[in-house]
């Protein structure tokens, strides 16, 4: 029986070199990826000892040592006198990032909606005098102009190293048809146009320092989360904008990163009373025709499902803060960061599985719809769509767990 010929020593050296090059280009950190890299190098070492001459083996061993050194200790730039502007520091990711960067020695310009908010008072109390609080409402051009002027005036000696577009806005969780057009506009004003205007205004400083732009996005901008149409479309728009900046600013040495966090327990997520008020406001302003077609129970069901999904949120915000810090200081920052549990599985399902399975997964993970009132059995002219009968995640009535 004919045997498959073994590759020559030179071929094995080429394979090993390609594997090491791929490792050098990757963004692996200590953990399972590094263990996999060690296993690969061990297998290559075993093969090389049998197939390569001593000189080639020495070269490969040196290359492997360099690769593993870079994997285990990612290169970080010194903080020195670097200055960073962070938006949305009243709470959540922005506040925690401002605290960490201040403790590391950064000069932090932290914007807040209200200078006397609890988050602003906390930052003023626990941070160093280097941290400066700036009032900023991204929907007001006057506020943006004032922040731009302050930043230019107070970074003349240090320069501006980084901009962290963290401020975000979402005020409704409902189907796109049920969401007022004003909600789409308000989300775009903060999440897209505000970030666009602030970023463009600071680009001269960032180009001069060959600095960093870090923007907090959302997986809802990459995949169709149920009931997050207004928020998701604004996050999709800002992600595409940052990808455009990344390409256009490459000759200037400015690096652009997007953080796509999972579900974390920020202050806005924990504020159940706020979400209840927003639901009541939605019901009060819903056109009568839509209220009759969908029914109050439908909206109550969505609200209950949304609150259920928030119970799965992570309380530790450090993965997002660490991702922002790495994007600011890594010698070779990633284009995308995905801090949070289960995101790898979510993106795998979104990109590689059929559309029906993707939809069912998002419904099971986030919000599983029930049938609107007009489509429920017994209603005049009700004809449930064919997909409803085939979809096991679509209930025929409101969830029994929803309080009425």
């Amino acid at each position: 029986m004919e045997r498959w010929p073994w590759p020559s020593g030179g071929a094995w050296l080429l394979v090993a070199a390609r594997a090491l090059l791929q490792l050098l280009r990757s963004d692996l950190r200590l953990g399972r990826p590094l263990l996999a890299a060690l296993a690969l190098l061990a297998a290559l070492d075993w093969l090389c000892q049998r197939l390569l001459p001593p000189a080639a083996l020495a070269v490969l061993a040196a290359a492997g040592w360099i690769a593993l050194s870079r994997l285990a200790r990612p290169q970080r730039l010194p903080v020195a006198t670097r200055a960073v502007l962070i938006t949305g520091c009243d709470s959540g990711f922005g506040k925690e990032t401002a605290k960490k960067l201040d403790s590391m020695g950064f000069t932090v310009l932290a914007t807040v909606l209200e200078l006397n908010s609890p988050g602003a008072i906390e930052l003023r109390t626990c941070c160093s005098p280097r941290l400066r609080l700036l009032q900023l409402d991204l929907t007001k051009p006057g506020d943006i102009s004032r922040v731009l002027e302050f930043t230019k005036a107070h970074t003349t000696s240090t320069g501006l190293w980084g901009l962290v577009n963290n401020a975000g806005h979402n005020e409704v969780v409902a189907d796109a048809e049920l969401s007022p057009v004003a909600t789409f506009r308000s989300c775009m004003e903060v999440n897209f146009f505000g970030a666009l205007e602030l970023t463009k205004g600071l680009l001269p400083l960032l180009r001069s320092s060959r600095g960093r732009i870090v923007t907090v996005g959302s997986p809802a901008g990459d995949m169709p989360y149920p009931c997050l149409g207004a928020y998701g479309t604004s996050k999709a728009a800002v992600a595409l904008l940052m990808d455009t900046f990344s390409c256009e600013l490459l000759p200037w040495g400015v690096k652009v990163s997007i953080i796509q966090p999972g579900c974390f327990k920020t202050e806005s997520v924990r504020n159940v009373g706020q979400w209840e008020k927003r639901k009541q406001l939605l019901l009060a302003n819903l056109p009568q025709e839509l209220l009759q077609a969908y029914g109050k129970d439908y909206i109550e069901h969505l609200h209950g499902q949304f609150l259920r999904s928030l119970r799965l949120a992570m309380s530790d915000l450090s993965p997002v803060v660490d991702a922002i810090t790495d994007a600011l200081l890594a010698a070779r920052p990633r284009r995308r960061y995905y801090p949070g549990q289960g995101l790898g599985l979510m993106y795998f399902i979104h990109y590689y599985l059929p559309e029906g399975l993707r939809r069912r997964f998002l419904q099971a993970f986030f919000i599983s719809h029930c049938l609107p009132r007009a489509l429920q059995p017994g209603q005049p002219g009700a004809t449930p769509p064919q997909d409803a009968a085939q979809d096991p995640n679509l209930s025929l009535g409101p969830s029994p767990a929803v309080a009425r």
Side-chain angles (χ1 to χ4, degrees), residues 52-302:
L52 293 181
L57 181 59
V59 171
L60 183 62
W65 175 260
I66 295 173
L68 289 178
S69 298
R70 296 185 65 175
L71 287 170
R73 294 187 299 274
Q75 292 183 346
R76 283 285 185 94
L77 302 176
V79 173
T81 58
R82 301 183 193 275
V84 176
L85 187 144
I86 311 171
T87 65
C89 295
D90 301 84
S91 62
F93 304 139
K95 184 182 71 175
E96 296 304 317
T97 301
K99 290 162 65 174
K100 177 172 182 178
L101 295 185
D102 177 75
S103 68
M104 294 174 65
F106 277 92
T107 297
V108 177
L109 306 180
T111 76
V112 293
L113 270 176
E114 299 291 341
L115 290 174
N116 293 320
S117 66
I121 294 174
E122 180 181 346
L123 289 175
R124 195 178 290 116
T125 302
C126 70
C127 293
S128 73
R130 290 189 310 273
L131 185 139
R132 301 296 296 271
L133 288 173
L134 307 174
Q135 192 276 328
L136 173 63
D137 183 339
L138 284 171
T139 65
K140 297 179 179 179
D143 283 10
I144 296 177
S145 298
R146 187 171 62 252
V147 168
L148 292 177
E149 292 173 4
F150 183 94
T151 304
K152 292 173 184 177
H154 287 77
T155 57
T156 52
S157 59
T158 63
L160 180 68
W161 172 250
L163 165 64
V164 180
N165 289 307
N166 167 73
H169 173 73
N170 182 38
E171 61 186 36
V172 68
V173 177
D175 291 14
E177 186 180 14
L178 301 176
S179 303
V181 174
T183 300
F184 285 82
R185 289 198 176 101
S186 63
C187 283
M188 290 296 291
E189 282 294 333
V190 176
N191 302 339
F192 178 76
F193 287 110
L196 169 62
E197 188 171 355
L198 186 64
T199 303
K200 282 174 61 68
L202 293 175
L203 277 182
L205 298 178
L206 294 169
R207 284 191 284 102
S208 178
S209 65
R210 301 175 66 87
R212 304 291 169 84
I213 301 173
V214 183
T215 300
V216 178
S218 170
D222 289 335
M223 55 191 81
Y225 271 65
C227 301
L228 290 183
Y231 180 73
T233 50
S234 66
K235 288 297 186 178
V238 77
L240 182 57
L241 172 67
M242 292 302 153
D243 284 340
T244 302
F245 276 140
S246 180
C247 296
E248 295 174 350
L249 297 175
L250 190 61
W252 297 93
V254 177
K255 294 180 172 61
V256 181
S257 299
I258 301 175
I259 316 295
Q260 304 282 60
C263 190
F264 288 84
K265 286 184 179 178
T266 59
E267 281 83 344
S268 61
V269 168
R270 292 197 298 261
N271 195 340
V272 177
Q274 183 183 57
W275 291 112
E276 177 66 26
K277 291 180 181 178
R278 291 173 175 174
K279 180 201 68 177
Q280 296 297 340
L281 186 63
L282 175 68
L283 284 169
N285 292 281
L286 201 63
Q288 192 63 28
E289 179 185 359
L290 285 178
L291 186 59
Q292 290 179 353
Y294 281 87
K296 182 180 178 181
D297 286 347
Y298 181 88
I299 297 174
E300 293 284 357
H301 171 80
L302 297 182

